[in-house]
Amino acid sequence: MFNLATGSLYLLAIIAFGVGVMIFAYVTQTSTPEIEQDDRTYMDPVPAGLKMIWPLILLISMLVENIFSNAYFDRVEKKLHKTGVNFMLTAEQFVSLRFAAALICFLLSLLMVLALQPEKHGTLIVFLATLGGFFFPLVWLTDKRKRREQDVIRALPVYLDFTTMAVEAGLNLSGALQQAMHKGPDGPLRQEFSIIMRDLRAGVSRSEAFKRMAERLDMQDITSFVNAMVQAEKSGSGMASTLRIQSEQRRNERFQRAEKKAMEAPVKLVFPLIVFIFPVTFMIVGFPIMMKVLDI
């Protein structure tokens, strides 16, 4: 039966189709040469999941550049720097990804609602799906940052050990960092050390290069390490002893963090034990007893 909710959904479908046609026509006529010049020589390759919608992201990016201010893109760029995604997406492309995800979720939810024709809350389902698609890239970015921080914390003591041994063997700090990059595990910390080496080759001072790394990562462990290195360089103290102390301190903090998580595990298990495991156990134990009582 055709009701108000179904009519609203059909109206939304017609509007979305019309807007899509206008955007496609506008970008095709005015922005096709620029879209073809997407140079990714100095950037990471596009993930497989984004390759299918990458043309749509490029189309939308040509529009969002004229909608949002440069200050907004600067804030987005800082978030991308903290997660390392800036080597894969620009700020304009990330904002376009949010709109593309919202559009895809809108169309999929609209098709689902029109196919199933629920009696109630059809418009609400489409709205929530579109809203979820718009905010999903932010959730992905937050998860990416957490994983990056965990990788950095896990690899930092290893890199400090390699750097300490190289300095104690007679190399300067630049050579020690280069050896740590070759011997250390792959991950975001190696990328950050490579950026430090690039800055040093470009003429940036050592303390400034380390401070830039601390600003990019924005982590307490990295900030403490950088402050200790800068202070040791200013005071003229032994770099090897400073690195050794920092390595031991970072390793002790990692062990303390692991012990804290192990102590939190029993508390987190209380809820699933009470809600899921205990009732099933009581049912299994009590079922034979109940059957014997009923037989009597």
Side-chain angles (χ1 to χ4, degrees):
M1 183 177 180
F2 187 87
N3 51 24
L4 182 60
T6 306
S8 301
L9 291 176
Y10 279 113
L11 180 61
L12 289 175
I14 294 172
I15 294 175
F17 180 80
V19 172
V21 171
M22 287 189 294
I23 292 175
F24 179 80
Y26 172 79
V27 176
T28 303
Q29 294 178 2
T30 60
S31 305
T32 302
E34 288 79 1
I35 293 173
E36 294 177 353
Q37 296 176 2
D38 182 36
D39 187 10
R40 303 190 62 84
T41 304
Y42 301 102
M43 299 184 69
D44 294 338
V46 179
L50 293 180
K51 284 184 178 180
M52 295 183 295
I53 62 172
W54 192 248
L56 178 62
I57 294 175
L58 294 179
L59 290 176
I60 299 176
S61 65
M62 303 304 299
L63 300 177
V64 299
E65 291 178 355
N66 300 324
I67 298 175
F68 296 96
S69 62
N70 292 330
Y72 175 75
F73 286 126
D74 290 339
R75 291 194 298 268
V76 175
E77 189 70 25
K78 290 180 181 179
K79 292 181 180 180
L80 298 180
H81 270 288
K82 292 180 180 180
T83 57
V85 184
N86 60 305
F87 294 104
M88 182 177 63
L89 294 171
T90 62
E92 294 81 1
Q93 292 170 353
F94 179 76
V95 175
S96 303
L97 174 62
R98 297 183 63 185
F99 284 101
L103 179 60
I104 292 173
C105 291
F106 169 77
L107 294 176
L108 291 178
S109 60
L110 186 61
L111 291 175
M112 182 189 69
V113 169
L114 293 176
L116 300 178
Q117 293 184 355
E119 296 182 357
K120 297 181 180 180
H121 308 301
T123 305
L124 181 61
I125 293 174
V126 175
F127 174 75
L128 292 178
T130 305
L131 196 64
F134 184 73
F135 285 101
F136 177 76
L138 291 179
V139 177
W140 170 76
L141 196 67
T142 303
D143 182 69
K144 187 80 173 178
R145 174 170 172 76
K146 290 181 180 179
R147 292 183 182 181
R148 179 181 173 85
E149 290 179 353
Q150 292 176 358
D151 293 340
V152 170
I153 292 173
R154 189 180 299 111
L156 182 58
V158 179
Y159 276 91
L160 291 180
D161 287 338
F162 283 128
T163 307
T164 302
M165 289 187 293
V167 171
E168 291 176 348
L171 292 177
N172 57 11
L173 185 57
S174 300
L177 291 176
Q178 193 70 32
Q179 290 298 320
M181 288 173 53
H182 289 304
K183 303 296 183 180
D186 192 12
L189 195 57
R190 174 184 286 184
Q191 296 176 359
E192 292 296 330
F193 279 151
S194 65
I195 294 175
I196 290 178
M197 298 303 299
R198 184 192 64 188
D199 292 341
L200 293 176
R201 289 192 294 267
V204 180
S205 63
R206 185 186 301 168
S207 59
E208 183 64 25
F210 277 103
K211 288 179 180 179
R212 289 182 180 181
M213 182 184 70
E215 291 177 358
R216 288 192 301 269
L217 293 175
D218 192 18
M219 298 172 53
Q220 182 63 36
D221 292 353
I222 297 296
T223 303
S224 301
F225 162 67
V226 170
N227 291 336
M229 296 296 294
V230 173
Q231 187 65 28
E233 186 176 4
K234 289 182 179 179
S235 61
S237 59
M239 193 65 67
S241 60
T242 302
L243 288 170
R244 177 68 63 184
I245 294 173
Q246 287 295 313
S247 176
E248 294 177 356
Q249 185 176 358
R250 299 286 85 78
R251 187 177 292 103
N252 292 334
E253 290 177 354
R254 189 177 66 177
F255 288 153
Q256 292 174 1
R257 196 177 292 109
E259 290 177 355
K260 180 181 177 182
K261 291 183 178 180
M263 294 176 65
E264 292 175 351
V267 180
K268 295 179 179 179
L269 287 174
V270 170
F271 179 77
L273 282 173
I274 296 176
V275 176
F276 301 106
I277 299 178
F278 284 167
V280 176
T281 304
F282 292 150
M283 291 172 60
I284 295 174
V285 174
F287 180 75
I289 300 175
M290 183 62 66
M291 293 301 294
K292 289 183 179 180
V293 171
L294 292 177
D295 289 340
I296 295 174

